[in-house]
Coordinates of all heavy atoms in Angstrom, one line a residue:
M1 N 0.7 1.7 15.8 CA -0.1 2.7 15.1 C -1.5 2.8 15.9 O -2.0 1.9 16.2 CB -0.4 2.2 13.7 CG -1.1 3.2 12.9 SD -1.5 2.7 11.1 CE 0.1 2.7 10.5
N2 N -1.9 4.0 16.2 CA -3.1 4.3 17.0 C -4.3 3.9 16.1 O -4.3 3.6 15.0 CB -3.2 5.6 17.6 CG -3.4 6.7 16.5 OD1 -4.1 6.4 15.5 ND2 -2.8 7.8 16.8
T3 N -5.4 3.7 16.8 CA -6.6 3.1 16.1 C -7.1 4.2 15.1 O -7.5 3.7 14.0 CB -7.7 3.0 17.2 OG1 -7.2 2.1 18.2 CG2 -8.9 2.3 16.7
L4 N -7.1 5.4 15.4 CA -7.7 6.4 14.3 C -6.6 6.4 13.1 O -7.2 6.3 12.0 CB -7.7 7.9 14.9 CG -8.1 8.8 14.0 CD1 -9.6 8.5 13.5 CD2 -8.1 10.2 14.7
A5 N -5.5 6.4 13.2 CA -4.5 6.3 12.1 C -4.7 5.0 11.4 O -4.8 5.1 10.0 CB -3.0 6.4 12.7
A6 N -4.9 3.9 12.1 CA -5.1 2.6 11.4 C -6.3 2.7 10.6 O -6.5 2.2 9.3 CB -5.1 1.5 12.2
R7 N -7.4 3.2 11.1 CA -8.7 3.4 10.5 C -8.6 4.2 9.2 O -9.2 3.8 8.1 CB -9.8 3.9 11.4 CG -11.2 3.9 10.7 CD -12.2 4.4 11.7 NE -12.6 3.3 12.5 CZ -13.4 3.4 13.6 NH1 -14.0 4.5 13.9 NH2 -13.8 2.4 14.2
I8 N -7.9 5.4 9.3 CA -7.7 6.3 8.2 C -7.0 5.6 7.2 O -7.3 5.7 5.9 CB -7.1 7.5 8.7 CG1 -8.0 8.4 9.5 CG2 -6.7 8.4 7.5 CD1 -7.5 9.6 10.2
L9 N -6.0 4.8 7.5 CA -5.1 4.2 6.6 C -6.0 3.1 5.7 O -6.0 3.0 4.6 CB -3.9 3.4 7.3 CG -3.0 2.6 6.3 CD1 -2.4 3.5 5.2 CD2 -2.0 2.0 7.1
R10 N -6.8 2.4 6.5 CA -7.7 1.3 5.8 C -8.7 2.0 5.0 O -8.9 1.4 3.8 CB -8.5 0.5 7.0 CG -7.6 -0.6 7.6 CD -8.3 -1.6 8.3 NE -9.5 -0.9 9.3 CZ -9.2 -0.7 10.6 NH1 -8.1 -1.1 11.1 NH2 -10.2 -0.2 11.4
V11 N -9.3 3.1 5.3 CA -10.3 3.8 4.5 C -9.5 4.3 3.4 O -10.0 4.2 2.2 CB -10.9 4.9 5.3 CG1 -11.8 5.8 4.4 CG2 -11.8 4.3 6.4
G12 N -8.4 4.8 3.4 CA -7.6 5.4 2.2 C -7.3 4.2 1.4 O -7.4 4.4 0.1
L13 N -6.8 3.1 1.9 CA -6.4 1.9 0.9 C -7.7 1.4 0.2 O -7.6 1.1 -1.0 CB -5.7 0.9 1.8 CG -4.3 1.2 2.3 CD1 -3.9 0.1 3.1 CD2 -3.4 1.4 1.1
A14 N -8.8 1.4 1.0 CA -10.0 0.9 0.3 C -10.4 1.8 -0.7 O -10.9 1.4 -1.8 CB -11.1 0.7 1.4
S15 N -10.3 3.1 -0.5 CA -10.6 4.1 -1.5 C -9.9 4.1 -2.7 O -10.4 4.1 -3.9 CB -10.5 5.6 -0.9 OG -11.4 5.8 0.2
L16 N -8.6 3.7 -2.6 CA -7.7 3.6 -3.8 C -8.0 2.4 -4.6 O -8.1 2.3 -5.8 CB -6.2 3.5 -3.4 CG -5.6 4.9 -2.8 CD1 -4.1 4.6 -2.4 CD2 -5.6 5.8 -3.9
W17 N -8.3 1.3 -3.8 CA -8.7 0.0 -4.4 C -10.1 0.2 -5.3 O -10.2 -0.2 -6.4 CB -8.9 -1.1 -3.5 CG -9.2 -2.4 -4.0 CD1 -8.4 -3.3 -4.7 CD2 -10.5 -3.0 -4.1 NE1 -9.0 -4.3 -5.1 CE2 -10.3 -4.3 -4.7 CE3 -11.7 -2.7 -3.6 CZ2 -11.4 -5.1 -5.0 CZ3 -12.8 -3.5 -3.8 CH2 -12.6 -4.7 -4.6
L18 N -11.0 0.9 -4.6 CA -12.3 1.0 -5.3 C -12.3 2.0 -6.4 O -13.2 2.1 -7.2 CB -13.3 1.5 -4.2 CG -13.7 0.5 -3.2 CD1 -14.6 1.0 -2.1 CD2 -14.4 -0.7 -3.8
F19 N -11.2 2.9 -6.4 CA -11.1 3.8 -7.6 C -11.2 3.1 -8.9 O -11.6 3.6 -9.9 CB -9.9 4.7 -7.3 CG -9.8 5.7 -8.3 CD1 -10.6 6.9 -8.4 CD2 -8.9 5.6 -9.5 CE1 -10.5 7.8 -9.4 CE2 -8.7 6.6 -10.3 CZ -9.5 7.7 -10.4
G20 N -10.6 1.9 -8.9 CA -10.6 1.2 -10.1 C -11.8 0.8 -10.7 O -12.1 0.5 -11.9
F21 N -12.9 0.8 -9.8 CA -14.3 0.5 -10.2 C -15.2 1.8 -10.6 O -16.2 1.6 -10.9 CB -15.0 -0.3 -9.2 CG -14.4 -1.7 -8.9 CD1 -13.5 -1.9 -7.8 CD2 -14.8 -2.7 -9.8 CE1 -13.1 -3.1 -7.7 CE2 -14.1 -3.9 -9.6 CZ -13.3 -4.1 -8.6
W22 N -14.5 2.9 -10.3 CA -15.3 4.2 -10.4 C -16.0 4.4 -11.7 O -17.1 4.7 -11.6 CB -14.3 5.3 -10.0 CG -15.0 6.7 -10.1 CD1 -15.9 7.1 -9.1 CD2 -14.7 7.6 -11.0 NE1 -16.3 8.4 -9.5 CE2 -15.6 8.7 -10.6 CE3 -13.9 7.7 -12.2 CZ2 -15.6 10.0 -11.4 CZ3 -14.0 8.9 -12.8 CH2 -14.8 9.9 -12.4
L23 N -15.2 4.3 -12.8 CA -15.8 4.7 -14.0 C -17.0 3.7 -14.4 O -18.1 4.2 -14.9 CB -14.9 4.6 -15.0 CG -13.8 5.8 -15.1 CD1 -12.7 5.6 -16.2 CD2 -14.5 7.1 -15.2
G24 N -16.8 2.4 -14.1 CA -17.9 1.4 -14.5 C -19.1 1.7 -13.6 O -20.2 1.7 -14.1
A25 N -19.0 1.9 -12.3 CA -20.1 2.1 -11.5 C -20.8 3.4 -11.8 O -21.9 3.5 -11.6 CB -19.6 2.1 -10.0
L26 N -20.0 4.4 -12.1 CA -20.5 5.7 -12.5 C -21.5 5.7 -13.7 O -22.5 6.3 -13.7 CB -19.4 6.8 -12.7 CG -19.9 8.2 -12.8 CD1 -20.6 8.7 -11.5 CD2 -18.6 9.1 -13.0
A27 N -21.0 4.9 -14.7 CA -21.7 4.8 -15.9 C -23.0 3.9 -15.7 O -24.0 4.1 -16.4 CB -20.9 4.2 -16.9
A28 N -22.9 3.0 -14.7 CA -24.1 2.1 -14.5 C -25.3 2.7 -13.7 O -26.4 2.1 -13.8 CB -23.5 0.9 -13.8
E29 N -25.1 3.7 -12.9 CA -26.0 4.2 -12.1 C -26.2 5.7 -12.4 O -25.4 6.4 -12.7 CB -25.5 4.2 -10.6 CG -25.5 2.7 -10.2 CD -25.1 2.6 -8.8 OE1 -25.6 3.5 -7.9 OE2 -24.4 1.7 -8.3
P30 N -27.5 6.1 -12.2 CA -27.8 7.6 -12.5 C -27.1 8.5 -11.3 O -26.8 8.1 -10.3 CB -29.4 7.7 -12.2 CG -29.7 6.4 -11.5 CD -28.7 5.4 -11.7
P31 N -27.0 9.8 -11.7 CA -26.3 10.6 -10.8 C -27.0 10.8 -9.4 O -28.3 10.6 -9.3 CB -26.2 12.0 -11.4 CG -26.9 11.8 -12.6 CD -27.3 10.4 -12.8
A32 N -26.3 11.0 -8.3 CA -26.9 11.0 -7.0 C -27.8 12.3 -6.9 O -27.4 13.4 -7.5 CB -25.9 11.1 -5.9
P33 N -28.8 12.4 -6.2 CA -29.6 13.6 -6.1 C -28.8 14.6 -5.2 O -28.2 14.1 -4.2 CB -30.9 13.2 -5.3 CG -30.5 11.9 -4.7 CD -29.5 11.2 -5.6
V34 N -28.9 15.9 -5.6 CA -28.2 16.8 -4.8 C -29.0 17.9 -4.3 O -29.8 18.4 -5.1 CB -27.0 17.5 -5.9 CG1 -26.2 18.5 -5.1 CG2 -26.1 16.4 -6.4
V35 N -28.9 18.2 -3.0 CA -29.6 19.2 -2.5 C -28.7 20.5 -2.5 O -27.4 20.5 -2.2 CB -29.8 19.0 -0.9 CG1 -30.5 20.1 -0.2 CG2 -30.7 17.7 -0.8
A36 N -29.3 21.6 -3.0 CA -28.4 22.7 -3.3 C -27.7 23.2 -2.1 O -28.3 23.4 -1.0 CB -29.4 23.9 -3.8
G37 N -26.4 23.4 -2.2 CA -25.5 24.0 -1.2 C -25.0 22.7 -0.3 O -24.1 23.1 0.5
S38 N -25.4 21.6 -0.4 CA -24.9 20.5 0.5 C -23.8 19.8 -0.3 O -24.0 19.4 -1.5 CB -26.0 19.5 0.8 OG -26.9 20.1 1.6
P39 N -22.7 19.6 0.5 CA -21.6 18.7 -0.1 C -22.0 17.3 -0.3 O -22.8 16.8 0.6 CB -20.4 18.9 0.9 CG -21.1 19.3 2.0 CD -22.3 20.0 1.7
V40 N -21.6 16.6 -1.3 CA -21.9 15.1 -1.5 C -20.7 14.3 -1.7 O -19.8 14.6 -2.4 CB -22.8 15.0 -2.8 CG1 -23.2 13.5 -3.1 CG2 -24.1 15.8 -2.8
L41 N -20.7 13.3 -0.8 CA -19.5 12.4 -1.0 C -20.0 11.1 -1.5 O -20.9 10.4 -0.9 CB -18.9 12.2 0.4 CG -17.8 11.0 0.6 CD1 -16.7 11.5 -0.3 CD2 -17.5 10.8 2.1
Q42 N -19.7 10.6 -2.6 CA -20.0 9.4 -3.2 C -19.0 8.4 -2.8 O -17.7 8.5 -3.1 CB -20.2 9.5 -4.8 CG -21.3 10.4 -5.2 CD -21.6 10.3 -6.6 OE1 -21.5 9.3 -7.2 NE2 -21.9 11.4 -7.2
V43 N -19.4 7.2 -2.2 CA -18.6 6.2 -1.8 C -18.8 4.8 -2.5 O -20.0 4.5 -2.6 CB -18.7 5.9 -0.2 CG1 -17.7 4.9 0.3 CG2 -18.5 7.3 0.6
F44 N -17.8 4.3 -3.1 CA -18.0 3.0 -3.9 C -17.7 1.8 -3.0 O -16.6 1.9 -2.5 CB -17.2 3.1 -5.1 CG -17.7 4.2 -6.0 CD1 -17.1 5.5 -5.9 CD2 -18.6 4.0 -7.0 CE1 -17.5 6.6 -6.8 CE2 -19.0 4.9 -7.9 CZ -18.4 6.3 -7.7
V45 N -18.7 0.9 -2.8 CA -18.6 -0.2 -1.9 C -18.9 -1.4 -2.6 O -19.5 -1.5 -3.7 CB -19.4 0.0 -0.6 CG1 -19.0 1.2 0.2 CG2 -20.9 0.2 -1.1
R46 N -18.5 -2.6 -2.0 CA -18.8 -4.0 -2.5 C -19.3 -4.7 -1.3 O -18.7 -4.7 -0.2 CB -17.5 -4.6 -3.0 CG -17.7 -5.9 -3.5 CD -16.4 -6.5 -4.2 NE -15.3 -6.3 -3.3 CZ -14.9 -7.3 -2.4 NH1 -15.6 -8.4 -2.2 NH2 -13.8 -7.2 -1.8
D47 N -20.4 -5.5 -1.5 CA -20.9 -6.3 -0.4 C -19.9 -7.4 0.0 O -19.1 -7.9 -0.8 CB -22.1 -7.2 -1.0 CG -23.4 -6.2 -1.1 OD1 -23.4 -5.1 -0.4 OD2 -24.3 -6.5 -1.8
G48 N -19.8 -7.5 1.4 CA -18.9 -8.5 1.9 C -17.4 -7.9 2.0 O -16.6 -8.7 2.6
C49 N -17.2 -6.8 1.6 CA -15.7 -6.2 1.8 C -15.5 -5.7 3.2 O -16.3 -4.7 3.6 CB -15.6 -5.0 0.8 SG -14.1 -4.1 1.0
P50 N -14.5 -6.2 3.9 CA -14.4 -5.7 5.3 C -13.9 -4.3 5.3 O -14.3 -3.5 6.2 CB -13.4 -6.7 5.9 CG -12.6 -7.2 4.6 CD -13.7 -7.3 3.6
Y51 N -13.1 -3.8 4.3 CA -12.7 -2.4 4.3 C -13.9 -1.5 4.1 O -14.0 -0.4 4.7 CB -11.6 -2.3 3.2 CG -10.4 -3.2 3.5 CD1 -10.3 -4.3 2.7 CD2 -9.6 -3.0 4.5 CE1 -9.1 -5.1 2.8 CE2 -8.4 -3.8 4.8 CZ -8.3 -4.9 3.8 OH -7.2 -5.7 4.2
C52 N -14.8 -1.9 3.3 CA -15.9 -1.1 2.9 C -16.9 -1.0 4.2 O -17.3 0.1 4.5 CB -16.8 -1.7 2.0 SG -15.9 -1.8 0.3
A53 N -16.9 -2.0 4.9 CA -17.8 -2.0 6.2 C -17.1 -1.1 7.2 O -17.7 -0.3 7.8 CB -17.8 -3.5 6.8
D54 N -15.7 -1.0 7.3 CA -15.0 -0.1 8.2 C -15.2 1.3 7.7 O -15.4 2.2 8.5 CB -13.5 -0.4 8.2 CG -13.1 -1.7 8.9 OD1 -14.0 -2.1 9.7 OD2 -12.0 -2.1 8.9
A55 N -15.1 1.5 6.4 CA -15.4 2.9 5.9 C -16.7 3.3 6.2 O -16.9 4.5 6.6 CB -15.1 2.8 4.4
K56 N -17.8 2.6 6.1 CA -19.1 2.8 6.4 C -19.3 3.3 7.8 O -19.9 4.3 8.3 CB -20.2 1.8 6.0 CG -20.4 1.7 4.5 CD -21.4 0.4 4.3 CE -21.6 0.3 2.9 NZ -22.6 -0.8 2.6
T57 N -18.7 2.5 8.6 CA -18.7 2.7 10.2 C -18.0 4.1 10.4 O -18.6 5.0 11.1 CB -18.0 1.7 11.0 OG1 -18.7 0.5 10.7 CG2 -18.1 1.9 12.4
F58 N -17.0 4.4 9.8 CA -16.2 5.7 10.0 C -17.0 6.7 9.5 O -17.2 7.8 10.1 CB -14.8 5.5 9.2 CG -14.1 6.8 9.3 CD1 -13.3 7.1 10.4 CD2 -14.0 7.6 8.2 CE1 -12.7 8.3 10.4 CE2 -13.2 8.8 8.2 CZ -12.6 9.3 9.2
L59 N -17.6 6.6 8.3 CA -18.3 7.7 7.7 C -19.6 8.0 8.4 O -20.2 9.1 8.4 CB -18.6 7.4 6.2 CG -17.3 7.4 5.4 CD1 -17.6 6.9 4.0 CD2 -16.8 8.8 5.3
D60 N -20.2 7.0 9.1 CA -21.3 7.3 10.0 C -21.1 8.3 11.0 O -21.9 9.2 11.3 CB -21.8 5.9 10.6 CG -22.6 5.0 9.7 OD1 -23.1 5.5 8.7 OD2 -22.8 3.8 10.1
G61 N -19.8 8.2 11.6 CA -19.4 9.2 12.6 C -19.2 10.5 12.0 O -19.5 11.6 12.6
V62 N -18.6 10.5 10.7 CA -18.4 11.8 10.0 C -19.8 12.5 9.7 O -19.9 13.7 9.9 CB -17.5 11.6 8.8 CG1 -17.6 12.8 7.9 CG2 -16.2 11.2 9.0
Q63 N -20.8 11.6 9.4 CA -22.1 12.2 9.1 C -22.7 12.8 10.4 O -23.4 13.8 10.3 CB -22.9 11.0 8.7 CG -24.4 11.5 8.3 CD -24.5 11.9 6.8 OE1 -24.3 11.1 6.0 NE2 -24.8 13.1 6.6
R64 N -22.5 12.2 11.6 CA -23.1 12.8 12.8 C -22.4 14.1 13.1 O -23.0 15.0 13.6 CB -22.8 11.7 13.9 CG -23.8 10.6 13.8 CD -23.8 9.8 15.1 NE -22.5 9.1 15.4 CZ -22.3 7.9 14.9 NH1 -23.1 7.3 14.1 NH2 -21.0 7.4 15.1
Q65 N -21.1 14.2 12.7 CA -20.3 15.5 13.0 C -20.7 16.5 11.9 O -20.5 17.7 12.4 CB -18.8 15.3 13.0 CG -18.3 14.4 14.2 CD -16.9 14.0 14.0 OE1 -16.2 14.3 13.1 NE2 -16.4 13.4 15.1
Q66 N -21.0 16.0 10.8 CA -21.3 17.1 9.7 C -22.6 16.7 9.0 O -22.6 16.1 8.0 CB -20.1 17.0 8.7 CG -18.8 17.4 9.2 CD -17.8 17.5 8.2 OE1 -18.0 17.6 7.0 NE2 -16.5 17.3 8.6
P67 N -23.8 17.0 9.7 CA -25.0 16.6 9.2 C -25.4 17.2 7.8 O -26.2 16.6 7.1 CB -26.0 17.0 10.3 CG -25.3 17.9 11.1 CD -23.9 17.6 10.9
E68 N -24.7 18.3 7.4 CA -25.1 18.8 6.0 C -24.4 18.0 5.0 O -24.7 18.1 3.8 CB -24.5 20.2 5.9 CG -23.0 20.4 5.8 CD -22.3 20.2 7.2 OE1 -22.9 20.0 8.3 OE2 -21.0 20.3 7.2
L69 N -23.4 17.1 5.3 CA -22.8 16.3 4.3 C -23.7 15.1 3.8 O -24.2 14.4 4.6 CB -21.4 15.6 4.9 CG -20.7 14.7 3.9 CD1 -20.3 15.5 2.7 CD2 -19.6 14.0 4.8
Q70 N -23.8 15.0 2.5 CA -24.7 13.8 2.0 C -23.7 12.7 1.6 O -22.7 13.0 0.8 CB -25.5 14.3 0.7 CG -26.5 15.2 1.0 CD -27.3 15.6 -0.3 OE1 -27.4 14.7 -1.2 NE2 -27.8 16.8 -0.5
I71 N -24.0 11.6 2.2 CA -23.1 10.4 1.7 C -23.9 9.5 1.0 O -24.9 9.0 1.3 CB -22.5 9.8 2.9 CG1 -21.7 10.7 3.8 CG2 -21.6 8.5 2.6 CD1 -21.1 10.1 5.1
V72 N -23.5 9.2 -0.4 CA -24.2 8.3 -1.2 C -23.4 7.2 -1.5 O -22.2 7.2 -1.9 CB -24.4 9.1 -2.6 CG1 -25.2 8.1 -3.6 CG2 -25.3 10.3 -2.4
Y73 N -23.8 5.9 -1.1 CA -23.1 4.7 -1.4 C -23.5 4.1 -2.6 O -24.6 4.0 -3.1 CB -23.4 3.8 -0.2 CG -22.9 4.2 1.1 CD1 -23.6 4.9 2.0 CD2 -21.5 4.0 1.4 CE1 -23.2 5.2 3.2 CE2 -20.9 4.4 2.7 CZ -21.9 5.1 3.5 OH -21.5 5.6 4.8
R74 N -22.4 3.8 -3.4 CA -22.6 3.2 -4.8 C -22.0 1.7 -4.8 O -20.8 1.6 -4.4 CB -21.8 3.9 -5.9 CG -22.2 5.4 -5.9 CD -23.5 5.5 -6.7 NE -23.8 6.9 -7.1 CZ -24.8 7.3 -7.6 NH1 -25.7 6.5 -8.0 NH2 -25.1 8.6 -7.9
S75 N -22.7 0.8 -5.2 CA -22.3 -0.5 -5.1 C -21.4 -0.9 -6.4 O -21.8 -0.4 -7.5 CB -23.4 -1.5 -5.2 OG -23.0 -2.9 -5.4
V76 N -20.3 -1.6 -6.3 CA -19.6 -2.0 -7.5 C -19.6 -3.4 -7.7 O -18.9 -4.0 -8.5 CB -18.1 -1.5 -7.3 CG1 -17.8 0.0 -7.2 CG2 -17.5 -2.2 -6.1
D77 N -20.6 -4.0 -7.0 CA -20.9 -5.5 -7.3 C -21.4 -5.7 -8.7 O -22.2 -4.9 -9.2 CB -21.9 -6.1 -6.3 CG -21.4 -6.1 -4.8 OD1 -20.2 -6.5 -4.7 OD2 -22.0 -5.7 -3.9
P78 N -20.9 -6.8 -9.3 CA -21.4 -7.0 -10.7 C -22.9 -7.4 -10.6 O -23.3 -8.1 -9.5 CB -20.5 -8.2 -11.2 CG -19.9 -8.8 -10.1 CD -19.9 -7.7 -8.9
K79 N -23.6 -7.0 -11.5 CA -25.1 -7.4 -11.5 C -25.3 -8.9 -11.8 O -24.5 -9.4 -12.4 CB -25.9 -6.7 -12.6 CG -25.8 -5.2 -12.4 CD -26.8 -4.5 -13.4 CE -26.6 -3.0 -13.4 NZ -26.9 -2.3 -12.2
S80 N -26.2 -9.5 -11.0 CA -26.4 -11.0 -11.2 C -26.9 -11.2 -12.6 O -27.7 -10.5 -13.1 CB -27.4 -11.4 -10.2 OG -28.6 -10.8 -10.3
G81 N -26.3 -12.3 -13.1 CA -26.7 -12.7 -14.5 C -25.9 -12.0 -15.5 O -26.1 -12.3 -16.8
S82 N -25.0 -11.1 -15.2 CA -24.2 -10.4 -16.2 C -22.9 -11.2 -16.5 O -22.3 -11.9 -15.7 CB -23.8 -9.0 -15.6 OG -24.8 -8.3 -15.4

């Protein structure tokens, strides 16, 4: 499997895994600020997750290619003391 296909597969699998945290994280944080006319991609990540780190690296490249795209990272880490 070539590097790009492997990266896309990892990002896709991480996205599916993180989807399980989506509702809880969405309820815990206020909505992302939106600039009129700009697409927004919300990405749910966890500290220390190697797949999340790969996704961030990949999305940095996407951001350079599409500067109008807003990428908002949402943490799904449990709050300390909870």
Side-chain angles (χ1 to χ4, degrees):
M1 187 179 294
N2 68 33
T3 304
L4 179 59
R7 182 177 282 174
I8 291 171
L9 179 62
R10 284 196 309 263
V11 169
L13 291 175
S15 298
L16 288 175
W17 182 80
L18 290 173
F19 182 74
F21 294 102
W22 179 71
L23 289 177
L26 185 61
E29 295 186 32
V34 177
V35 175
S38 294
V40 178
L41 175 65
Q42 294 192 37
V43 182
F44 297 87
V45 295
R46 182 175 52 86
D47 287 338
C49 171
Y51 302 107
C52 298
D54 285 347
K56 286 179 180 180
T57 301
F58 175 76
L59 291 171
D60 284 344
V62 172
Q63 181 88 63
R64 282 190 295 276
Q65 293 174 355
Q66 300 181 21
E68 72 281 358
L69 176 65
Q70 293 182 32
I71 300 176
V72 178
Y73 292 98
R74 302 280 190 185
S75 175
V76 295
D77 290 318
K79 296 189 187 303
S80 59
S82 298

